[in-house]
Amino acid sequence: QVYLAESGGGVVQPGRSLRLSCAASGFSFDSSGIHWVRQAPGKGLEWVAVISYDGSNKNYADSVKGRFSISRDNSKNTVQLQMSSLRGADTAVYYCARAPYFGSGFDYWGQGALVTVSS
Amino acid sequence: QSALTQPASVSGSPGQSITISCTGTSGDIGAFTYVSWYQQHPGKTPKLMIYEVTNRPSGVSNRFSGSKSGNTASLTISGLQAEDEAVYYCSSYTDRNTRVFGTGTDVTVL
C-alpha cells in the first residue's frame, strides 16, 4: 500500500526557516519523482517543487525559487523541503505527492502539513 | 507561470452531464499530453481522476472523461451524482519542466 506522510509543519515567524519532510513507503521510492504542492487556506492548489527519482533534476515555482530547496534520501525513502525567508504568503497546507513517471499525474498524496508564517 | 483558467463554478442536476474547461497556453496544455484532473472534497486530499488527458486510474468511475483541443482541456462528468459535488482542478506539465494547476471549479449538484 502506497503511503506518503508529511511532517515538520508548524508556526514560524516571517523571515525564518522551516524544513518539511515526506516519508514514503509501499512502492519503489527510488523510481518515482516526488512533488510538493501547497494550498493556502480557502484557496486553490499551487505547485511548488519537484525532484526526480534520483535527485539529479530539481525545479521550483517562481514564487519559491531561491528560497526553497528540495532534496531526497533514497536510502531512507524521504524527501525534504527546506524553506527559508518565509513570508505570510507561504502559509498553506503542504502536500507531497508521487508522480510515478515523467509527466504523469500525482497518483498518491500525503495528508498534508500546515505551515503558518506569522509573527 | 500563471494558473490555468477554469470557470469558478459549474452546476447540474442529477443525471445530467457537465463539462469543465481548463485553458492554458502553447507552453503547457497546447504542447503536451500531460494534463491531469483532480477532485477535492472539503477537508480532503486531492484525488487523481484523469491523467494524460484521457486516462482514468483504476477505481475511478467511467462517468469521468477527459479531452483536449489546442490550449484547452476539458473534464466531462456524465450521469451527475451527489457525490460528485467537489472542487475540480486541472494540471499540466509545462515547457519549463514545471507543473501548473488550474484555478479550480466548484461543482454543485442541484
Side-chain angles (χ1 to χ4, degrees), chain A residues 22 71 83 87 105:
Chain A
C22 172
S71 61
M83 306 182 292
R87 310 163 178 167

Side-chain angles (χ1 to χ4, degrees), chain B residues 26-35 53 68 92-96:
Chain B
S26 58
D28 40 65
I29 293 177
F32 306 100
T33 57
Y34 299 129
V35 177
V53 180
K68 189 189 86 159
S92 176
Y93 177 76
T94 82
D95 58 5
R96 296 172 64 194

Side-chain angles (χ1 to χ4, degrees), chain B residues 4-6 19-24 29-30 35-37 53 66-75 90-92:
Chain B
L4 306 173
T5 301
Q6 298 180 231
T19 297
I20 302 168
S21 62
C22 171
T23 301
I29 293 177
V35 177
S36 50
W37 290 88
V53 180
S67 63
K68 189 189 86 159
S69 177
N71 295 341
T72 298
S74 298
L75 174 71
C90 59
S91 179
S92 176

